[in-house]
Amino acid sequence: MLSKRIIPCLDVRAGRVTKGVAFANNVDVGDPVTMARYYYEQGADEIVFYDITASNERRGIMLEVVEKVAREIFIPFTVGGGLRTLQDLRAVLLAGAEKVSIDSGAVRNPGLISEGARAFGSQCVVLSMQVARREPGARLPSGYEVVIDGGRLPTGLDALEWARRGQELGAGELCVNSIDRDGTNLGYELELTRRIAEAASVPVIASGGAGAPEHLLAVFNQAGADAAIVASMVHYGRYGLPELKRFLRQNGVEVREPFWPQRSLS
Amino acid sequence: MIAIVDYRAGNLSSVARALGFLGHACEITDRAQAIARAERVILPGVGAAGATMENLRALGLDRVLLERVIGAGKPFLGICIGIQVLLDSSDENEADCLGVIRGRALRFPSTVDGRRLKVPQIGWNRVNLLREHPLFEGIPDATYFYFVNSYYPRLTDPDAALAVADYGLHFVAALARGTVMATQFHLEKSGAAGLRMLDNFCRL
């Protein structure tokens, strides 16, 4: 059967990783290419880069990063952050990303999901959503609201409804980030993840809150996530990916054992 | 020189980057001459079988592949959609394919034993070898590879099967007959195991 995926996430601003300083000895850990290679060698199943560059002028820097990563990393990687047009998606994919992650751009223009899926295939369009917990009501039956622009702007969209719509429009995967849990290290929002995973017929990636191996175990076993994003818990060296995978395997979760061949490859 | 067949779809550059990393010269091309002259040929990519076959035919490359590459006994490697176009046909757009290997590409069922199966399959799955083959040299049984597919090959020519994987059902994940080889999984996205297999192909 398909294994559960662990996906380190790197925030990149103007070509530099903004978090993540402590893990590798004496290497330039601000360099996204170095960090991506490190995680690749540690057995990451995929890598996600979020471009948090504020201005459009600097987008070219991110494309250079993508090109460099693509020449060295031979697992899938996703690029997100500020992608608004079909041209944006095309540029990132041509630079070598396997998938694009669209977020606020898709809320403002849902056609971006269908256009992207038609042009490049559903498998490379990840609909990412930032979700906040609210009081359930007529307008928000699930009690979960989609927020955009880095969590600042509420949209009034019900997260379950948006997940369903995004999938219909052609999103190949759904990445669900709880802004209530993001940065807390308290664990994933299991209820939110479970409800979306139960409703979805495409893979669901859980995001926001991972701080301990038990959190990954819970999001896979209790919430039914297909993949889980990890950030600070691995960036700051508190946990290593091999250690997380060992823990999950011991607890009955199928995770990929990376293979490194005997013969050296260039 | 290795020719990567450009059939105007899919992201072909990731295979070229992997070959570049391994130090093998390659060219992404849609030119019949270049493909006919290449030492080896790779047909990679994601996409729909129908559209892929239409593009190959429009470019006249179906005949080149059949007569100048496969028929001429040159090593040929199909990846992902490249395994499906080798078959007789595909459920996807009811496409007629190259007919090199007897079989048909079928869509994964949406439920198995009453449980929902997510389609496409996206992620890392174990590949179990059915027999030894130079393409898998150095690759242990049950190694994980990266898959992205809604359709899987069902062979009526079971001797061609090389490896299987399990996604709701057992399906053929790799096949080989003579100098024709193909994998349903993405060698260019499967880490060191995928690179090793690409390298194996280039050394055949």
Side-chain angles (χ1 to χ4, degrees), chain B residues 186-204:
Chain B
H186 286 270
L187 295 172
E188 74 284 9
K189 293 287 174 187
S190 289
L195 290 179
R196 171 66 192 249
M197 285 183 65
L198 278 173
D199 197 45
N200 287 344
F201 173 74
C202 296
R203 289 163 187 260
L204 282 174

Side-chain angles (χ1 to χ4, degrees), chain A residues 200-215:
Chain A
S201 59
V202 297
V204 171
I205 304 161
S207 170
E214 292 76 11
H215 297 155

Side-chain angles (χ1 to χ4, degrees), chain B residues 135-148:
Chain B
L135 185 63
F136 277 93
E137 198 218 292
I139 303 290
D141 188 29
T143 296
Y144 285 93
F145 288 90
Y146 188 74
F147 287 83
V148 179

Side-chain angles (χ1 to χ4, degrees), chain A residues 1-3 45 70 74-76 93-96 98-99 123 197-198 200 202 226 254 256 259-261 263 266, chain B residues 11 17-18 21 46 116 118 121-122 124-125 138 140 144 146 148 166 189-193 195-196 199-200 203:
Chain A
M1 276 309 287
L2 214 55
S3 59
D45 298 309
F74 299 98
I75 54 172
L93 293 170
L94 281 179
E98 169 81 2
K99 309 176 195 180
Q123 82 291 335
E198 277 175 2
V202 297
D226 297 284
E254 184 173 345
R256 175 178 75 111
F259 160 75
W260 295 103
R263 184 163 88 214
S266 71
Chain B
N11 192 352
R17 278 189 208 96
F21 180 82
V46 291
R116 196 181 47 221
K118 293 186 176 181
Q121 161 180 224
I122 298 182
W124 297 83
N125 207 337
Y144 285 93
Y146 188 74
V148 179
D166 180 1
K189 293 287 174 187
S190 289
L195 290 179
R196 171 66 192 249
D199 197 45
N200 287 344
R203 289 163 187 260

Side-chain angles (χ1 to χ4, degrees), chain A residues 3 13 44 87 89 95 106 114 123 130 134 138 149 153 170-171 182 206 228 232 244 248 262 266:
Chain A
S3 59
R13 177 184 286 135
Q87 259 323 97
L89 308 189
S114 44
Q123 82 291 335
Q130 315 296 318
R134 311 282 193 222
D149 295 347
L153 189 63
D182 205 7
S232 60
L244 290 179
L248 290 167
Q262 304 296 310
S266 71

Side-chain angles (χ1 to χ4, degrees), chain A residues 234-245:
Chain A
V234 291
H235 294 335
Y236 299 123
R238 252 182 303 135
Y239 296 96
L241 292 174
E243 172 187 8
L244 290 179
K245 287 196 168 181

Side-chain angles (χ1 to χ4, degrees), chain A residues 94-116:
Chain A
L94 281 179
E98 169 81 2
K99 309 176 195 180
V100 286
S101 172
I102 53 180
D103 192 317
S104 306
V107 172
R108 291 206 166 86
N109 170 23
L112 185 61
I113 305 171
S114 44
E115 286 170 32

